[in-house]
Amino acid sequence: MRRIFEEKAKPLPISKEMVLAAFKKVKSNKGSAGIDRVNLQMFEEKLSDNLYKLWNRLASGSYFPPAVKEKEIKKDNGKVRKLGIPTVSDRIAQQVIKDFIEPRLEKVFHSSSYGYRPLKNAHQALVAVRENVRKYAWVIDMDITAFFDHVDHKKMLLALERHVEEGWIRMYVKRWLEAPVQTKSGTIIEKQGQGTPQGGVISPLLANLYLHYTFDKWMEKEFSNLAFVRYADDIVIHCISEKQAAFVLNKINLRLQECNLSVHSDKTSIVYCKDYRRKEKGHKVKFDFLGFSFHPRSKRSKDGGMFLGFDCEISNKSYSKIVATLRLMRFNRGCSKWQDLANLLNDKIRGWIQYYDKFRSRTLTNVFHRLHNRLIKWIINYFKRFKRSKKRAISYLKYVHRRFPTLFYHWSIGYHLV
């Protein structure tokens, strides 16, 4: 790393240390190669030269981002979500500018915005919704149609200009907004004044800035008596009555249209937060948010009794995704020992539990029941002495559980065999 610290300063206030710090963040976030097919490992082979070249161009104002690689991710409804994957070098460049402007934007962002922000997370957003549904009987569960594809460049740059006086930053942001996309077939698609790649390092920050003025500040001005929770473009608005919810939703739709956006009609609904106090019938009483389903649920009171509350637990969609992940994992390939299985599974198990067990313990019991069934099948297939004997395989799994109670992460925290 010696060479990058020996060069003279450039006209723009981008230091070599900023570029190196940005690289470390990009490396920790991992990610795949862009259109140049250079991954992180390949980039590191000539790290000093690559960082110097990037710093030289960034600090002189001569950096132009390459096209982003389009990657299609299958959605549950059979459609695809298109991500834009920048090159490793471009991700570092975006990280440099993001680090430079994020602190000042964070000072103005709304407290009800939780997505992709330092010191904020999905659990905090869910806690806010849990608190709000106790106060408000109605919810607008809202989704914006293809938000990242319809961000208006002119409006974005106007919002940026309010908080960023440096012309060179706005110049680089404009170049990223206008960077073309290379499709799977190799076709280069130029931007037409709208859209920001979902997958770019700086895109979430720009998205939050756009929605800060499009939605957050507007809600604060027009409906200051209502609460809302926004996680990126996933929004929950809390209302007092069904009539009010319908009125607010109509106003939001008009507001979004002014900002080149629209409400996704199929994914937006008005929901009644039914509990022991709220007795109305004939309304939708369930909505999903950040992998959890909010719906009427039996809850235990402090005195040991039961009552009907409105709270969250893992959604059916999230449950199905975990089960599908387990189904696709190939235990029979490369797993000849129990420790191999533990190495394959434990990081995923830990992540599921840390996220979905937040508000209700043992919420993944059915998931791990399916996992244990997979382990039983592995025992039967791998150990000849257990072939054609599921009963003996179950007994052997129970023995392993007793003998090595911390082998799998969920065993170590009290999830037992059913």
Side-chain angles (χ1 to χ4, degrees):
M1 297 309 302
R2 187 175 171 183
R3 181 180 174 186
I4 195 171
F5 291 106
E6 293 177 347
E7 301 299 327
K8 295 180 181 179
K10 293 292 181 178
L12 300 183
I14 297 177
S15 69
K16 294 158 288 215
E17 290 80 8
M18 290 165 63
V19 176
L20 179 58
F23 163 73
K24 290 178 179 178
K25 290 183 179 180
V26 168
K27 181 181 178 181
S28 68
N29 291 329
K30 300 180 181 180
S32 58
I35 62 169
D36 60 359
R37 300 182 181 179
V38 175
N39 59 30
L40 279 162
Q41 183 178 355
M42 295 164 65
F43 188 89
E44 279 195 277
E45 290 174 1
K46 296 182 179 179
L47 184 59
S48 184
D49 289 343
N50 287 332
L51 291 184
Y52 167 73
K53 185 187 300 183
L54 179 60
W55 168 74
N56 190 34
R57 291 177 178 176
L58 276 175
S60 64
S62 62
Y63 177 77
F64 285 86
V68 297
K69 183 177 72 175
E70 185 177 82
K71 182 177 181 181
E72 296 182 347
I73 306 295
K74 290 185 179 180
K75 299 168 69 174
D76 299 324
N77 58 8
K79 298 181 180 180
V80 295
R81 175 184 289 109
K82 293 182 178 181
L83 301 181
I85 310 300
T87 63
V88 172
S89 184
D90 194 43
R91 294 207 295 275
I92 298 168
Q94 291 187 35
Q95 187 70 56
V96 169
I97 304 303
K98 177 176 182 278
D99 289 345
F100 193 85
I101 64 174
E102 187 172 50
R104 71 181 83 171
L105 296 181
E106 274 296 312
K107 291 178 180 178
V108 302
F109 283 164
H110 200 281
S111 60
S112 295
S113 166
Y114 293 88
Y116 308 107
R117 296 183 59 187
L119 306 179
K120 291 213 169 193
N121 57 47
H123 282 155
Q124 292 172 337
L126 289 160
V127 167
V129 172
R130 293 180 81 214
E131 293 173 351
N132 290 338
V133 295
R134 299 186 186 109
K135 303 173 187 175
Y136 298 86
W138 295 86
V139 152
I140 302 172
D141 173 30
M142 197 183 87
D143 189 271
I144 298 175
T145 304
F147 167 72
F148 284 89
D149 294 336
H150 294 102
V151 169
D152 185 280
H153 291 179
K154 288 183 179 179
K155 289 181 170 60
M156 173 69 81
L157 292 171
L158 283 173
L160 188 67
E161 192 173 352
R162 281 196 169 197
H163 306 285
V164 177
E165 61 183 18
E166 296 92 341
W168 60 272
I169 292 179
R170 300 199 299 270
M171 173 189 72
Y172 278 139
V173 169
K174 185 173 186 291
R175 289 177 185 177
W176 279 311
L177 289 174
E178 295 174 348
V181 176
Q182 180 177 294
T183 65
K184 290 172 64 177
S185 64
T187 303
I188 299 294
I189 299 176
E190 301 290 340
K191 296 287 181 63
Q192 302 298 320
Q194 66 178 19
T196 178
Q198 187 175 359
V201 172
I202 203 169
S203 294
L205 179 63
L206 297 179
N208 273 332
L209 177 63
Y210 197 85
L211 286 172
H212 174 73
Y213 286 107
T214 297
F215 183 80
D216 301 354
K217 292 292 288 184
W218 178 83
M219 276 292 294
E220 188 180 67
K221 178 183 176 182
E222 298 294 327
F223 300 103
S224 58
N225 61 320
L226 301 183
F228 71 89
V229 175
R230 181 174 67 79
Y231 194 95
D233 59 335
D234 201 353
I235 308 173
V236 174
I237 305 107
H238 302 270
C239 299
I240 297 169
S241 67
E242 184 179 21
K243 183 177 179 180
Q244 184 187 55
F247 176 80
V248 171
L249 180 56
N250 181 60
K251 290 293 185 181
I252 290 173
N253 212 346
L254 295 174
R255 170 60 180 172
L256 292 183
Q257 289 174 18
E258 293 175 355
C259 301
N260 204 46
L261 301 173
S262 62
V263 172
H264 196 306
S265 57
D266 295 337
K267 295 182 179 180
T268 299
S269 59
I270 295 174
V271 179
Y272 183 49
C273 305
K274 186 175 182 179
D275 61 15
Y276 71 96
R277 302 163 298 168
R278 302 161 183 161
K279 311 285 186 179
E280 293 185 29
K281 297 181 179 180
H283 304 291
K284 182 178 180 180
V285 294
K286 179 181 178 181
F287 68 93
D288 287 358
F289 184 60
L290 301 180
F292 287 77
S293 285
F294 284 82
H295 59 91
R297 278 185 49 215
S298 295
K299 302 186 69 178
R300 190 174 298 278
S301 61
K302 293 180 180 179
D303 60 4
M306 301 297 293
F307 69 97
L308 184 66
F310 192 87
D311 210 340
C312 66
E313 62 183 347
I314 184 173
S315 69
N316 291 335
K317 184 184 293 186
S318 298
Y319 174 81
S320 297
K321 284 182 178 178
I322 295 176
V323 171
T325 298
L326 289 173
R327 189 183 302 119
L328 292 173
M329 294 180 77
R330 303 187 177 186
F331 291 3
N332 293 335
R333 290 192 178 182
C335 292
S336 58
K337 298 180 292 188
W338 282 101
Q339 190 58 52
D340 294 334
L341 288 172
N343 294 340
L344 176 69
L345 290 165
N346 275 338
D347 283 347
K348 291 184 181 296
I349 292 172
R350 185 180 293 106
W352 294 332
I353 290 174
Q354 289 176 350
Y355 189 73
Y356 292 109
D357 264 14
K358 177 69 175 179
F359 307 113
R360 183 186 180 191
S361 62
R362 305 295 179 268
T363 193
L364 297 176
T365 297
N366 288 337
V367 166
F368 295 129
H369 177 66
R370 286 176 174 262
L371 171 58
H372 296 152
N373 284 337
R374 285 293 310 276
L375 293 176
I376 291 167
K377 289 181 180 178
W378 177 78
I379 292 170
I380 292 172
N381 291 331
Y382 192 78
F383 298 100
K384 293 181 179 180
R385 65 182 184 276
F386 295 116
K387 286 190 181 296
R388 302 190 185 90
S389 180
K390 183 177 180 179
K391 185 176 180 180
R392 291 179 60 205
I394 293 172
S395 296
Y396 180 58
L397 180 60
K398 289 180 178 179
Y399 163 77
V400 172
H401 178 247
R402 290 193 305 271
R403 185 73 175 80
F404 306 102
T406 62
L407 178 65
F408 295 107
Y409 179 75
H410 63 298
W411 288 359
S412 69
I413 62 169
Y415 273 100
H416 299 300
L417 299 177
V418 179

Tab-separated table of all heavy atoms in Angstrom, residues 379-381 383-393:
chain	number	residue	atom	x	y	z
A	379	ILE	N	-28.782	-39.208	7.458
A	379	ILE	CA	-28.291	-40.364	8.228
A	379	ILE	C	-28.609	-41.662	7.488
A	379	ILE	O	-27.759	-42.539	7.337
A	379	ILE	CB	-28.916	-40.373	9.638
A	379	ILE	CG1	-28.395	-39.194	10.461
A	379	ILE	CG2	-28.614	-41.691	10.351
A	379	ILE	CD1	-29.141	-38.995	11.774
A	380	ILE	N	-29.837	-41.763	7.018
A	380	ILE	CA	-30.278	-42.984	6.331
A	380	ILE	C	-29.476	-43.209	5.049
A	380	ILE	O	-29.069	-44.333	4.728
A	380	ILE	CB	-31.783	-42.911	6.024
A	380	ILE	CG1	-32.590	-42.966	7.330
A	380	ILE	CG2	-32.212	-44.039	5.088
A	380	ILE	CD1	-34.067	-42.699	7.145
A	381	ASN	N	-29.212	-42.114	4.326
A	381	ASN	CA	-28.514	-42.228	3.045
A	381	ASN	C	-27.013	-42.431	3.208
A	381	ASN	O	-26.377	-43.115	2.395
A	381	ASN	CB	-28.757	-40.973	2.192
A	381	ASN	CG	-30.189	-40.870	1.710
A	381	ASN	OD1	-30.857	-41.882	1.515
A	381	ASN	ND2	-30.659	-39.644	1.528
A	383	PHE	N	-25.178	-43.487	6.212
A	383	PHE	CA	-24.721	-44.592	7.052
A	383	PHE	C	-25.458	-45.870	6.664
A	383	PHE	O	-26.681	-45.968	6.817
A	383	PHE	CB	-24.948	-44.286	8.536
A	383	PHE	CG	-24.174	-43.089	9.029
A	383	PHE	CD1	-24.811	-41.862	9.161
A	383	PHE	CD2	-22.826	-43.187	9.344
A	383	PHE	CE1	-24.116	-40.760	9.607
A	383	PHE	CE2	-22.123	-42.080	9.792
A	383	PHE	CZ	-22.767	-40.852	9.922
A	384	LYS	N	-24.701	-46.849	6.193
A	384	LYS	CA	-25.324	-48.079	5.700
A	384	LYS	C	-26.128	-48.789	6.773
A	384	LYS	O	-27.145	-49.415	6.492
A	384	LYS	CB	-24.243	-49.021	5.162
A	384	LYS	CG	-23.559	-48.504	3.908
A	384	LYS	CD	-22.522	-49.497	3.405
A	384	LYS	CE	-21.847	-48.998	2.140
A	384	LYS	NZ	-20.826	-49.959	1.641
A	385	ARG	N	-25.675	-48.697	8.028
A	385	ARG	CA	-26.357	-49.460	9.075
A	385	ARG	C	-27.753	-48.927	9.395
A	385	ARG	O	-28.529	-49.585	10.103
A	385	ARG	CB	-25.510	-49.475	10.349
A	385	ARG	CG	-25.313	-48.125	11.030
A	385	ARG	CD	-24.401	-48.306	12.245
A	385	ARG	NE	-24.209	-47.114	13.032
A	385	ARG	CZ	-23.308	-46.165	12.770
A	385	ARG	NH1	-22.525	-46.293	11.709
A	385	ARG	NH2	-23.181	-45.111	13.559
A	386	PHE	N	-28.086	-47.719	8.877
A	386	PHE	CA	-29.409	-47.155	9.155
A	386	PHE	C	-30.352	-47.243	7.953
A	386	PHE	O	-31.481	-46.751	8.026
A	386	PHE	CB	-29.278	-45.682	9.589
A	386	PHE	CG	-28.547	-45.505	10.885
A	386	PHE	CD1	-27.337	-44.840	10.925
A	386	PHE	CD2	-29.076	-46.010	12.067
A	386	PHE	CE1	-26.653	-44.673	12.118
A	386	PHE	CE2	-28.399	-45.847	13.264
A	386	PHE	CZ	-27.193	-45.183	13.292
A	387	LYS	N	-29.916	-47.867	6.873
A	387	LYS	CA	-30.781	-47.969	5.697
A	387	LYS	C	-32.033	-48.765	6.027
A	387	LYS	O	-31.982	-49.783	6.727
A	387	LYS	CB	-30.029	-48.623	4.532
A	387	LYS	CG	-28.990	-47.697	3.889
A	387	LYS	CD	-28.449	-48.286	2.621
A	387	LYS	CE	-27.405	-47.370	1.992
A	387	LYS	NZ	-27.974	-46.097	1.573
A	388	ARG	N	-33.137	-48.275	5.538
A	388	ARG	CA	-34.471	-48.874	5.734
A	388	ARG	C	-34.931	-48.831	7.191
A	388	ARG	O	-35.831	-49.564	7.584
A	388	ARG	CB	-34.504	-50.323	5.242
A	388	ARG	CG	-34.134	-50.488	3.771
A	388	ARG	CD	-34.443	-51.920	3.334
A	388	ARG	NE	-33.993	-52.158	1.982
A	388	ARG	CZ	-32.781	-52.614	1.674
A	388	ARG	NH1	-31.921	-52.864	2.637
A	388	ARG	NH2	-32.442	-52.807	0.418
A	389	SER	N	-34.308	-48.005	8.011
A	389	SER	CA	-34.730	-47.927	9.413
A	389	SER	C	-34.767	-46.478	9.875
A	389	SER	O	-33.810	-45.962	10.459
A	389	SER	CB	-33.783	-48.747	10.312
A	389	SER	OG	-34.207	-48.669	11.659
A	390	LYS	N	-35.874	-45.811	9.598
A	390	LYS	CA	-36.034	-44.417	10.012
A	390	LYS	C	-36.042	-44.314	11.533
A	390	LYS	O	-35.501	-43.358	12.098
A	390	LYS	CB	-37.326	-43.846	9.430
A	390	LYS	CG	-37.530	-42.371	9.755
A	390	LYS	CD	-38.797	-41.834	9.103
A	390	LYS	CE	-38.987	-40.359	9.438
A	390	LYS	NZ	-40.200	-39.797	8.812
A	391	LYS	N	-36.620	-45.305	12.185
A	391	LYS	CA	-36.706	-45.289	13.648
A	391	LYS	C	-35.302	-45.270	14.264
A	391	LYS	O	-35.024	-44.511	15.196
A	391	LYS	CB	-37.490	-46.506	14.137
A	391	LYS	CG	-37.729	-46.527	15.628
A	391	LYS	CD	-38.595	-47.713	16.015
A	391	LYS	CE	-38.847	-47.740	17.519
A	391	LYS	NZ	-39.699	-48.895	17.907
A	392	ARG	N	-34.406	-46.105	13.752
A	392	ARG	CA	-33.034	-46.146	14.277
A	392	ARG	C	-32.281	-44.859	13.947
A	392	ARG	O	-31.455	-44.378	14.736
A	392	ARG	CB	-32.293	-47.354	13.705
A	392	ARG	CG	-32.812	-48.701	14.240
A	392	ARG	CD	-32.055	-49.843	13.601
A	392	ARG	NE	-30.619	-49.754	13.907
A	392	ARG	CZ	-29.661	-50.292	13.146
A	392	ARG	NH1	-29.981	-50.928	12.024
A	392	ARG	NH2	-28.386	-50.188	13.503
A	393	ALA	N	-32.583	-44.284	12.779
A	393	ALA	CA	-31.940	-43.017	12.403
A	393	ALA	C	-32.366	-41.897	13.345
A	393	ALA	O	-31.547	-41.057	13.741
A	393	ALA	CB	-32.298	-42.663	10.965
